[in-house]
Amino acid sequence: MSNARTARLSRRGLLAAGGVLGLGAALAACGDDDAKSGGSGSKKDAGSGPWSFKDDRGTTVKLDKVPANIVAFTGVAAALFDYGIQVKGVFGPTETKDGKADVQAGDMDISKVTILGNVWDQFNVEKYATLAPDVLISTMFDDTGTLWYVPEASKDKIAKLAPSVGISVYDRQLTGPLQRMWELAESLGGDMKAAKATDAKKRFEAASERLRKAVKANPGIKVMAGSASQEIFYVSGTNLSIDLEYFKALGVDFVEPPEKAKAEGGGWFESLSWENVDKYAADIIMMDDRTSAIQPADISEATWKKLPAVKAGQVIPRSAEPILSYDKCAPVVERLAEAIEKAKKVS
């Protein structure tokens, strides 16, 4: 899903796709692995300097001091928080309607950050300026350098207030963006030798090996990645999505909509009516867990309830926009590994 391209597929469409971005995000796209990645900055304490970081657009941001006033997309802020970096402001899904932290906010205390926008195309530029930002950081879901959740209409005004850093999550495996976020956090003063960081990385590596073994031990299990809206069920292909590309590399057998069927979704997903939700056979269904998507427990469609995987209770959450810290990605891999280990062939 790429915002710039599909766009007017609509950035909003991308979100909706259930593809990499999922239901409200059908627009973004990401990049390749280490070969496409830029270099990282050197570790410094916040406020010391100088500081530089080469992002995935190939742009090197140079500052006299390590950024202290950081503003970031919510998911990026959540990842940095896991590495001990506290941002000042966020934009993107942060707070739910009942005032709780959105799933994309991770472990952040959202009462301690200034929320500049909580939904698509919402970004308070005036409030952003009052934060005296040193840098703005976001992910990128396409190969044109479009910063996720930075509104097209106000991007030029936003760009004038502080330099930006983009981490690509387009068309590459999960391990690439995870490493890039690690490098960014280290450059911002994160203690990457702390037990929390190193233990989480080991846990992720162990989970990945567990998933690889699970696939071999229970062959033939077909997995479908989906996202639900009121009228449409989105089926994601593995191409472009960092999590699905990685799982596929570990041997997971996914439902793969044909390229022609995904064309309307910018290559990310195929859109199905609820009447046709049984088009593909699957033993496990991974469902988009973002608040922009309808969750499995709230789906009332009879066709959904008749699906073999649903009847067998083989439906698990999918983090369509993974928080890029090992602490948050390890459980994601473990969850799929466990589901495959226990899955029965029902399709």
Side-chain angles (χ1 to χ4, degrees):
M1 311 177 145
S2 167
N3 196 19
R5 301 204 175 161
T6 338
R8 296 163 171 117
L9 203 198
S10 115
R11 305 175 61 119
R12 190 176 289 277
L14 227 337
L15 287 171
V20 148
L21 310 186
L23 206 67
L27 63 143
C30 6
D32 209 26
D33 277 314
D34 296 344
K36 295 183 184 176
S37 297
S40 64
S42 57
K43 179 183 175 184
K44 304 267 187 179
D45 293 328
S48 66
W51 179 84
S52 69
F53 188 85
K54 185 177 182 181
D55 75 359
D56 291 339
R57 297 169 298 186
T59 300
T60 300
V61 177
K62 296 181 179 181
L63 299 174
D64 292 337
K65 297 180 179 180
V66 175
N69 294 345
I70 301 170
V71 173
F73 170 67
T74 302
V76 171
L80 292 176
F81 180 84
D82 285 345
Y83 293 130
I85 307 297
Q86 177 68 54
V87 306
K88 198 166 185 178
V90 297
F91 55 95
T94 305
E95 186 176 28
T96 61
K97 293 180 179 179
D98 58 3
K100 296 180 180 179
D102 188 275
V103 64
Q104 290 184 257
D107 294 333
M108 282 194 301
D109 182 347
I110 62 174
S111 69
K112 293 184 178 180
V113 294
T114 298
I115 301 175
L116 302 174
N118 198 59
V119 298
W120 188 255
D121 261 350
Q122 183 184 84
F123 192 113
N124 191 319
V125 181
E126 290 71 25
K127 187 180 289 187
Y128 176 56
T130 66
L131 297 178
D134 294 321
V135 67
L136 178 148
I137 309 171
S138 189
T139 48
M140 300 182 297
F141 281 92
D142 62 28
D143 57 3
T144 66
T146 302
L147 296 174
W148 191 231
Y149 265 83
V150 173
E152 182 71 22
S154 54
K155 67 177 184 179
D156 292 339
K157 292 181 180 179
I158 293 169
K160 291 178 181 179
L161 295 171
S164 62
V165 167
I167 299 298
S168 182
V169 288
Y170 174 73
D171 192 20
R172 61 195 64 200
Q173 293 180 26
L174 178 60
T175 45
L178 271 173
Q179 178 61 29
R180 292 294 284 142
M181 192 62 69
W182 175 285
E183 293 167 358
L184 177 60
E186 183 174 33
S187 79
L188 292 170
D191 183 359
M192 315 315 285
K193 294 182 179 180
K196 180 180 179 180
T198 57
D199 289 352
K201 191 171 185 179
K202 291 177 182 177
R203 180 182 173 187
F204 175 83
E205 293 167 348
S208 297
E209 184 57 28
R210 177 184 175 183
L211 178 55
R212 193 192 305 274
K213 291 180 178 179
V215 172
K216 292 182 178 179
N218 196 3
I221 297 300
K222 181 73 76 170
V223 180
M224 180 167 66
S227 185
S229 70
Q230 201 65 45
E231 299 179 354
I232 301 294
F233 183 81
Y234 303 94
V235 180
S236 297
T238 58
N239 188 31
L240 304 183
S241 299
I242 58 173
D243 60 328
L244 303 185
E245 285 200 10
Y246 184 56
F247 298 151
K248 182 179 180 180
L250 292 176
V252 178
D253 184 13
F254 281 97
V255 166
E256 294 281 7
E259 291 303 315
K260 185 176 181 180
K262 295 187 295 180
E264 185 180 348
W268 294 85
F269 55 89
E270 178 180 2
S271 302
L272 299 176
S273 65
W274 283 104
E275 289 76 14
N276 295 314
V277 72
D278 61 352
K279 179 177 179 179
Y280 299 107
D283 303 298
I284 296 173
I285 302 176
M286 302 173 67
M287 289 295 289
D288 187 352
D289 69 356
R290 290 172 301 176
T291 52
S292 57
I294 298 176
Q295 298 306 300
D298 299 320
I299 299 175
S300 59
E301 300 290 340
T303 49
W304 163 261
K305 295 180 179 179
K306 291 179 181 179
L307 293 177
V310 175
K311 292 171 69 174
Q314 296 179 171
V315 178
I316 64 173
R318 175 198 172 203
S319 298
E321 287 184 68
I323 292 173
L324 297 173
S325 71
Y326 290 103
D327 182 72
K328 294 297 177 291
C329 286
V332 170
V333 183
E334 290 170 343
R335 185 167 58 207
L336 180 55
E338 181 179 15
I340 292 177
E341 288 168 350
K342 296 180 178 180
K344 296 179 180 179
K345 185 68 178 175
V346 296
S347 63

